[in-house]
Structures are given as structure tokens and as C-alpha cells.
Amino acid sequence: MNNINRNIFLAALMGISFGLFLKIYPLWSLNNAFLEANVIIGQLFINSLKMILVPLVFFSIVVGVSNLGNSKKSSTIWKYTLLYFFSTMFLAIFTALIIMNLVKPGIGITVDSWPEAKNAITSSLSIMEFLKQFILGLFVNPFQSLSSGNILPLIIFSILIGASFNGGGTKIQAGKKVFESLYEVIMRIVNWIMMFAPIGIFSLLVTMVESQSSELFSQLSIFIITVIGIMLIHGLLIIPTLLFIITKISPLSLWSNGRPAFISAFATSSSAATLPLTLSVACNTFKVPKSIANFVLPLGATINMDGTALYEAAAALFIANLVGIDLSLSQQIILFFIAMVASIGAPGIPSAGMVTMAMVLQVLGLPLEALALLLPMDRLLDTFRTTINVEGDLVGSLIVQKVTKL
């Protein structure tokens, strides 16, 4: 993970530097020839992401949902755990949308090298008409919908297939193993694409910087500060307040006793790598029963991604501002839903946010070239995202213990 993140970061620095060089010292015909080749390389990277996006979303959601039924814990723990996970993700995304609509970073700036946004989701309908069409549009032929760039029916279809694998006989479990094997195949292709990512990021950034005014980069710093501020509000105010209201555990107790897990999350940017420490803190320090901790925390490391969900919602609004689209209320409802689904389905690979962010942009009809702008800051923001994710998991185990009285 560190090598990929480092290579992407170095490629981003080189791409920005070389783009500035070409902007200040144009190389005439050589410059034009290089830029044309550069555009081809960048588009090849974007097209490879588009190629793998649909099968990755399909198989990752099928496998993820099918694995949710393997636990033998009681229905009471299930109910409160999922209620907590979705409630905190709701609060995270809602907070992100409110603050991003107030701050509005990127307004008035355009990125000349990006293609025109497709603005795939219409804003001309009333709220009731929109909700009617949206709900009916979820249950259509998923393969036909893909030809029009509508990925939401595929997500619903994936959830239904994954749910059908929960329980069942030998034949159904054999089918589940087929999907798990195909998921591993897709992940192998994703890893190949990730090896090409630094070159693709370099090419996209050279093209963008060479044709872009410096105003974009001042807006980028405003966006980074805004996102970190949203994460701090969620992690230092919303989650601790929820914990205190339900369990009477103070925020200071949470942060001091949970410090080993939080520091590990910040350093590794991996909820999965931090899981052993999180389990130790929950069971040994907070005395959460193993029957709860061993269920809530591994499940949370897979699907409870508050930090990821709020970041993807904020990033999508930022990109919409840059391409001059003012997302309506109905469009932001779509963004709300897809950010939650994308964060739940995030695969456990380095820079997984690139893949899930691509899904969010695709649904909204926004240019995937925006990934070149988001990836250089991804390592910094990922440390905050993961810390928020781990804090949410730990708090979830404490709240579930309290409400189930186990």
C-alpha cells in the first residue's frame, strides 16, 4: 500500500511540476506532440477504470452482502448494529452536504481539460416525481441500464444476488464460491491497473495544469481544509455526543482509552490492519463482551465507513462545482444514497477510494478525469478518514453492548 501511495504522490508532484514547466516554457511543436501523446495515455488510464468499474461494483457488492449472513449472533445484535452503522453514515453524509453547500469550494472555477459533464441525473422534476421515477428506475433490467450509464439498477441487482446466498443448501453455497472466485479475478485486474495508476495520474495532471489557471489550486486547499473540518466535526462532536447520550462514556475517556487504535488507524490508513488493536481496546479496556466485539468490529471494518462516505459526498460536490453544475435537492438525494453504497462496497485494496469515487462520479455524470485532482490529496485525507472509521466501529461496539444489555 505504501509503495502505491508513494508512487502516486511522486507522480502527482512530477505531473504538476512538468505541467507548470510547459505552461511557462512552451516547447512549440514538441510541446504539442507531447501533449497529444499525454492525452492518449491519460485517457487510456481513465478508460481502463471505466472498463473495470462495472464488474468490480457487481462482484464486490455481491460478495460483501453474501458474507453478512455468515454470523450466528442473535437478531438483536444484528438489528442494533446495522441501525447504528447506517445512522452514523447518514449523519456523516448529511453533515458533509450541509457544510459543502455553505462553503461551496470550486464555485466560479472551470477545468478546461475536462470533458463536458454529462449531468446524467435530471433536475427538472418535482421531488415526488423524482422519487417515483428513482424508485421505479432501480428495478429494471440491470444490463440494459448499463448501456445508458445508469449503474444504480446494477447495485440493487447485486444486493439481491448477495442476499440470496445467505443460508441455502449446497448448490447455493457452490454458486457463492463461484462469485468469490470471480471477485478475486477482478481484484487481480484492479491491481494491474493500479500499477499503471502513477503514469496515468502523471499524464492527466500534466494536461490539466498546462491548460489551467492557478485559481484551481487555491480552491483545492479550501476543499482540503473543509473536508478535514467536516471529519473533525463528525469525529470530535457527533460520534462522541452519541456515545455519551447512550452510554454516559465521556469523550475524554473514549479518546484516551481508544488512543492505541486511533493512532494505528492514522498511521496505517487501514481499518483492517487496525482491527486487532481495536478488538483489544474494546475487550480489554472497555470490557465489551467478545460475543459483541467479535461481531461488531470486523463487520464495521467492512461496511461502517463514516469518513469515506462523507469524503465521497464532499468530493462529488466539489467536482460538480468545478464543472459548473449546481446539483439540485433531488440530485443530492442520489448523491447521498450512492455515497453510502460506495463506502459500504469499498474493496480492501490500496487507494480503494479511487474505485469507489469513480462509481460516484459515474452515477452523477461527472468526469472521471477529476480523479487526477483528488488522488494527490488522498493519502493525507485517508489518514483522517480511517481514524473516523475506526472510532465509529469502536463506539458502535460500546453502544450495541449498552442497548442490548449483554
Side-chain angles (χ1 to χ4, degrees):
M1 182 195 321
N2 290 334
N3 287 339
I4 291 178
N5 284 326
R6 183 193 64 206
N7 292 341
I8 287 176
F9 180 71
L10 292 175
L13 290 180
M14 293 172 61
I16 292 171
S17 301
F18 198 67
L20 290 172
F21 173 78
L22 292 180
K23 192 175 184 68
I24 298 172
Y25 303 104
L27 302 179
W28 300 287
S29 59
L30 177 60
N31 179 20
N32 293 332
F34 172 81
L35 287 177
E36 289 178 4
N38 208 56
V39 168
I40 294 174
I41 295 173
Q43 287 303 310
L44 180 62
F45 174 59
I46 292 298
N47 288 343
S48 66
L49 287 177
K50 292 179 179 179
M51 174 189 70
I52 202 64
L53 176 62
V54 169
L56 178 61
V57 168
F58 177 65
F59 288 110
S60 64
I61 293 179
V62 168
V63 172
V65 173
S66 68
N67 287 334
L68 296 182
N70 293 337
S71 174
K72 304 300 183 183
K73 306 302 178 185
S74 70
S75 60
T76 302
I77 296 177
W78 256 112
K79 179 177 66 176
Y80 285 111
T81 299
L82 294 179
L83 177 63
Y84 167 79
F85 286 167
F86 287 109
S87 296
T88 55
M89 275 195 286
F90 175 92
L91 292 172
I93 300 173
F94 183 76
T95 303
L97 293 179
I98 291 295
I99 295 178
M100 286 295 294
N101 277 286
L102 292 174
V103 178
K104 295 184 177 180
I107 286 289
I109 306 296
T110 57
V111 181
D112 300 328
S113 63
W114 291 352
E116 185 177 351
K118 291 180 289 186
N119 199 10
I121 303 172
T122 179
S123 60
S124 60
L125 302 175
S126 68
I127 294 296
M128 290 307 298
E129 290 173 336
F130 163 77
L131 290 176
K132 176 183 175 181
Q133 290 197 13
F134 172 65
I135 293 172
L136 293 177
L138 294 178
F139 298 91
V140 299
N141 185 329
F143 303 104
Q144 180 181 358
S145 68
L146 293 177
S147 62
S148 60
N150 184 6
I151 203 170
L152 289 178
L154 180 70
I155 293 173
I156 298 299
F157 187 59
S158 305
I159 292 173
L160 293 175
I161 292 180
S164 71
F165 286 132
N166 291 330
T170 304
K171 291 184 178 180
I172 290 180
Q173 293 308 307
K176 176 182 174 182
K177 290 181 180 179
V178 171
F179 275 86
E180 290 174 342
S181 298
L182 290 172
Y183 174 69
E184 293 299 324
V185 171
I186 295 299
M187 294 306 299
R188 191 174 187 184
I189 298 175
V190 170
N191 288 330
W192 292 344
I193 294 174
M194 290 300 299
M195 293 173 62
F196 178 63
I199 300 174
I201 294 299
F202 171 84
S203 299
L204 289 169
L205 284 175
V206 167
T207 302
M208 185 184 71
V209 172
E210 190 274 337
S211 61
Q212 188 60 45
S213 67
S214 59
E215 293 177 337
L216 172 64
F217 299 98
S218 64
Q219 290 295 315
L220 194 58
S221 63
I222 295 174
F223 170 70
I224 293 173
I225 294 171
T226 303
V227 170
I228 292 176
I230 297 169
M231 291 183 186
L232 292 178
I233 289 172
H234 189 73
L236 300 182
L237 182 62
I238 295 177
I239 292 181
T241 300
L242 192 61
L243 175 67
F244 181 75
I245 291 173
I246 297 175
T247 69
K248 304 305 179 186
I249 297 175
S250 70
L252 289 179
S253 176
L254 169 66
W255 297 326
S256 61
N257 293 320
R259 183 170 51 196
F262 301 152
I263 292 175
S264 174
F266 192 86
T268 63
S269 297
S270 171
S271 299
T274 307
L275 185 57
L277 269 176
T278 313
L279 284 166
S280 176
V281 167
C283 296
N284 300 328
T285 305
F286 287 103
K287 307 303 180 184
V288 176
K290 288 187 178 180
S291 60
I292 291 179
N294 288 340
F295 172 72
V296 175
L297 294 177
L299 183 62
T302 304
I303 71 170
N304 185 38
M305 304 289 182
D306 295 357
T308 303
L310 71 84
Y311 166 71
E312 293 187 343
L317 276 182
F318 177 58
I319 298 305
N321 290 341
L322 289 179
V323 297
I325 294 179
D326 184 14
L327 295 181
S328 66
L329 177 60
S330 59
Q331 291 172 311
Q332 293 194 35
I333 291 173
I334 285 283
L335 173 57
F336 186 99
F337 171 76
I338 199 62
M340 183 175 290
V341 172
S343 64
I344 291 173
I349 59 170
S351 297
M354 179 181 70
V355 180
T356 55
M357 195 69 234
M359 182 173 73
V360 175
L361 296 177
Q362 181 94 340
V363 170
L364 292 173
L366 299 173
L368 292 187
E369 284 77 4
L371 291 173
L373 193 61
L374 299 175
L375 270 178
M377 69 180 98
D378 189 71
R379 185 65 181 90
L380 168 65
L381 295 179
D382 199 20
T383 59
F384 290 93
R385 290 200 305 263
T386 306
T387 306
I388 298 300
N389 293 342
V390 170
E391 181 191 23
D393 296 344
L394 180 59
V395 169
S397 68
L398 296 171
I399 289 179
V400 170
Q401 177 197 13
K402 180 69 175 181
V403 298
T404 57
K405 297 180 172 60
L406 296 178

